[in-house]
């Protein structure tokens, strides 16, 4: 039998997992310093949630969802994105009555049936944030600032921030009318999808990847020119709040975002390194979604960032992530003392250190080699004599210097002498 991981999925082997842990921990740490708390939502939801929450004219809903019937014939869908599930949880648990604003972050795998390309998988991971309850422009500027700080902290440079405002439902109607007027004469030359989009949601025509349609989109009217006074003011304030943080951006009136629930601010962080689509991260304000899904009127803003694309960007910029560090101590042993070595390692680990011993019954010589290969900080050979006398010789791998100390004192010794101690 030739069993392989399904098309579009991949195994994350230890080396890559270490890199991901680094990226994830940096994100978690930053989110916590910004006052965001983690939320985890189910891997699948009732299909209806995504149809209503993401929008039935979006590509995600129309083409990309993994939808199936369960044994009791309910239609379920593997989550293609995080926001809909988080909003569902927000409503279900009455979080509108929690202290506002509610600031959440998540780290979740997503599933989309898409054509495989560079940076495009069928199962991929997103890091995201959602802020509920704040309609102020500073909330938009905070989540954008968090991302900017994240990239800077990773040492990434030159990722372009593009922002736009797509208005509110009121000014959008005027804009849709302008779009239809623009597209109507060209409609016969457009793709089948766009024919449907024309009636359902002409905004989506701007996002079409077909050559002829995307050329037309370049000349289409832009929402920015149709903003109502409130939306205009909000956008100005977002920009001022970004300026104050020293964040550079480009106003790109062509950003529309693929999802239906966005209002006002939309943004993307883009780079040439992450595949044809170029987007590492996308987000925006979605003031209408909580109400749309049956909750109260609660404004919200957030983003989702693709981890695989982030990794492509790191690689392209030549930023090598720290490898798994070696143990503070490797304890080499003989068959008579292997359990003593294990017990000593266990006690060091309980003291907050890292330690490894041989589980393979290898010769001391082979164990020394293994310790060297894994980059151990110190090594100790534990023979019967050491066990009996309660003391041994600890050698620092970096310079070969040795010291004889009590086994009971090794924990303290390592804490005082190990590499990179605070
Ligand atoms: P794209 O233009 O690449 O299709 P999108 O607009 O569908 O992106 P969002 O739904 O906004 O993307 O998702 C946010 C982020 O998730 C993207 O910026 C990207 O980094 C990542 N992402 C989206 N789809 C995939 C995928 N199939 N594989 C890997 N990462 C993805
Ligand atoms: Mg997409």
């Amino acid at each position: 039998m030739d069993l392989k991981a399904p098309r579009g999925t991949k195994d994350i082997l230890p080396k890559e997992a270490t890199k991901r842990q680094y990226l994830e921990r940096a994100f978690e740490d930053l989110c916590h310093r910004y006052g965001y708390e983690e939320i985890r939502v189910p891997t699948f939801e009732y299909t209806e949630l995504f149809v209503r929450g993401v929008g039935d004219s979006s590509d995600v809903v129309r083409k990309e969802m993994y939808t199936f019937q369960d044994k009791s014939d309910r239609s379920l869908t593997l989550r293609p994105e995080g926001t809909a599930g988080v909003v569902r949880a927000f409503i279900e648990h009455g979080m509108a009555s929690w202290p506002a604003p509610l600031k959440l972050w998540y780290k979740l795998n997503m599933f989309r049936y898409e054509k495989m390309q560079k940076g495009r998988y069928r199962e991929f991971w997103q890091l995201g944030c959602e802020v509920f309850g704040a309609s102020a422009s500073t909330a938009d500027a905070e989540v954008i600032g968090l991302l900017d700080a994240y990239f800077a902290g990773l040492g990434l440079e030159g990722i372009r921030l593009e922002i736009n405002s797509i208005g509110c439902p009121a000014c959008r109607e005027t804009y849709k009318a302008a779009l239809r007027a623009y597209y109507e004469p060209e409609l016969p030359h457009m793709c089948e999808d766009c024919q449907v989009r024309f009636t359902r949601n002409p905004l989506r025509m701007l996002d079409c990847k077909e050559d002829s349609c995307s050329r037309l989109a370049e000349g289409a009217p832009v929402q920015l020119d149709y903003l109502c006074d409130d939306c205009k003011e909000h956008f100005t304030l977002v920009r001022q709040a970004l300026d104050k943080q020293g964040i550079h951006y480009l106003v790109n009136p062509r950003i529309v975002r693929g999802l239906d629930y966005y209002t006002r601010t939309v943004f993307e962080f883009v780079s040439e390194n992450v595949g044809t689509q170029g987007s590492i991260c996308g987000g925006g304000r979605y003031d209408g979604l909580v109400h749309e899904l049956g909750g109260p009127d609660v404004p919200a803003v957030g983003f989702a960032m693709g981890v695989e694309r982030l990794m492509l960007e790191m690689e392209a910029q030549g930023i090598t992530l720290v490898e798994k560090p070696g143990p503070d101590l490797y304890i080499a042993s003989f068959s008579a003392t292997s359990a003593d070595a294990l017990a000593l390692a266990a006690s060091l680990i309980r003291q907050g250190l890292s330690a490894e011993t041989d589980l393979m019954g290898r010769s001391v010589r082979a164990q020394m080699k293994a310790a060297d290969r894994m980059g151990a900080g110190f090594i100790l050979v534990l023979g019967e004599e050491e066990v009996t006398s309660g003391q041994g010789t600890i050698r620092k791998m970096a310079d070969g210097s040795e010291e004889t100390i009590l086994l009971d004192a090794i924990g303290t010794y390592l804490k005082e002498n190990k590499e990179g101690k605070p």
Side-chain angles (χ1 to χ4, degrees):
M1 198 164 37
D2 182 22
L3 275 186
K4 289 190 174 149
R7 198 174 162 71
T9 70
K10 63 174 196 159
D11 301 307
I12 297 167
L13 305 181
K15 245 199 170 98
E16 187 180 333
T18 306
K19 291 185 184 170
R20 286 173 181 250
Q21 281 168 16
Y22 176 82
L23 296 174
E24 291 163 5
R25 283 184 191 147
F27 185 73
E28 293 171 21
D29 173 62
L30 183 66
C31 286
H32 291 148
R33 285 190 284 134
Y34 263 97
Y36 290 63
E37 294 178 291
E38 187 182 8
I39 184 161
R40 302 183 190 194
V41 292
T43 307
F44 53 84
E45 300 269 0
Y46 293 125
T47 302
E48 202 188 324
L49 173 72
F50 298 117
V51 174
R52 285 181 50 198
V54 179
D56 57 3
S57 64
S58 64
D59 277 356
V60 170
V61 168
R62 292 184 52 238
K63 300 178 189 164
E64 299 170 1
M65 294 208 301
Y66 278 95
T67 297
F68 58 97
Q69 305 292 122
D70 72 2
K71 290 189 195 304
S72 61
D73 223 27
R74 288 293 309 236
S75 178
L76 298 171
T77 294
L78 299 183
R79 59 176 176 235
E81 55 103 59
T83 304
V86 172
V87 170
R88 197 256 322 122
F90 180 87
I91 298 168
E92 184 169 337
H93 302 283
M95 296 185 205
S97 67
W98 295 12
L102 180 63
K103 307 202 288 188
L104 303 172
W105 69 267
Y106 61 78
K107 168 180 84 185
L108 299 167
N109 51 343
M110 307 297 171
F111 307 86
R112 296 185 193 179
Y113 188 76
E114 297 200 73
K115 243 193 238 126
M116 289 275 298
Q117 286 169 27
K118 182 179 175 191
R120 193 182 283 303
Y121 296 93
R122 291 182 174 171
E123 179 183 20
F124 60 97
W125 287 78
Q126 285 184 341
L127 300 170
C129 283
E130 317 283 6
V131 178
F132 291 96
S135 57
S137 51
T138 42
D140 311 47
E142 176 171 291
V143 295
I144 295 173
L146 186 153
L147 281 163
D148 188 76
Y150 181 62
F151 295 137
L154 294 176
L156 289 170
E157 287 169 2
I159 299 179
R160 206 165 64 244
L161 166 62
E162 299 189 350
I163 62 172
N164 187 26
S165 175
I166 56 168
C168 62
C171 48
R172 195 168 306 154
E173 282 316 306
T174 337
Y175 175 56
K176 278 187 184 169
L179 267 187
R180 288 205 178 94
Y182 170 80
Y183 276 121
E184 189 148 31
E186 310 292 343
L187 209 51
H189 316 296
M190 300 189 73
C191 74
E192 264 176 47
D193 283 341
C194 278
Q195 312 271 344
V196 180
R197 292 173 181 137
F198 181 82
T199 25
R200 280 211 195 171
N201 186 356
L203 288 175
R204 188 111 311 120
M205 300 170 82
L206 298 167
D207 217 9
C208 185
K209 307 275 185 320
E210 291 288 323
D211 277 351
S212 57
C213 303
S214 68
R215 261 199 307 278
L216 267 176
E218 284 167 27
V222 294
Q223 174 81 64
L224 262 189
D225 295 332
Y226 293 82
L227 295 184
C228 61
D229 287 346
D230 286 351
C231 288
K232 234 182 249 170
E233 157 99 345
H234 191 268
F235 192 49
T236 306
L237 292 173
V238 170
R239 295 173 56 175
Q240 284 173 358
L242 292 177
D243 292 337
K244 283 216 165 125
Q245 295 176 74
I247 296 171
H248 299 287
Y249 56 82
L250 201 96
V251 175
N252 176 358
R254 302 280 163 208
I255 306 180
V256 290
R257 307 282 310 132
L259 312 177
D260 274 352
Y261 47 65
Y262 287 95
T263 53
R264 296 189 164 173
T265 317
V266 289
F267 61 89
E268 277 182 30
F269 281 85
V270 293
S271 158
E272 278 64 44
N273 300 322
V274 298
T276 47
Q277 315 306 324
S279 130
I280 297 178
C281 172
R285 181 165 275 288
Y286 50 96
D287 289 348
L289 186 62
V290 179
H291 186 70
E292 167 66 27
L293 291 178
D297 238 327
V298 176
V301 57
F303 66 80
M305 169 165 54
V307 175
E308 289 73 14
R309 297 208 192 156
L310 182 64
M311 293 182 69
L312 281 173
E313 184 63 31
M314 298 283 289
E315 210 171 285
Q317 294 205 18
I319 300 176
T320 41
L321 298 171
V322 280
E323 301 278 321
K324 169 179 175 278
D328 296 324
L329 178 68
Y330 187 94
I331 308 160
S333 60
F334 303 87
S335 56
T337 59
S338 59
D340 299 287
L342 183 68
L344 179 54
S347 103
L348 293 172
I349 288 167
R350 285 166 200 230
Q351 293 170 54
L353 292 153
S354 58
E356 284 192 54
T357 71
D358 178 59
L359 304 175
M360 304 297 294
R362 281 181 292 206
S363 70
V364 167
R365 208 180 124 88
Q367 292 180 53
M368 298 294 225
K369 265 195 198 156
D372 199 34
R373 196 175 52 237
M374 61 178 73
F378 290 84
I379 187 164
L380 169 85
V381 181
L382 193 73
E384 286 177 81
E385 200 186 308
E386 282 80 8
V387 173
T388 319
S389 67
Q391 60 178 31
T393 302
I394 194 164
R395 188 200 311 158
K396 187 173 189 176
M397 297 298 268
D399 58 13
S401 61
E402 296 189 340
E403 238 177 284
T404 301
I405 54 172
L406 289 172
L407 299 184
D408 285 345
I410 289 182
T412 319
Y413 178 84
L414 286 175
K415 282 183 188 166
E416 278 167 11
N417 293 283
K418 70 177 191 165
E419 282 305 313
K421 95 179 161 61

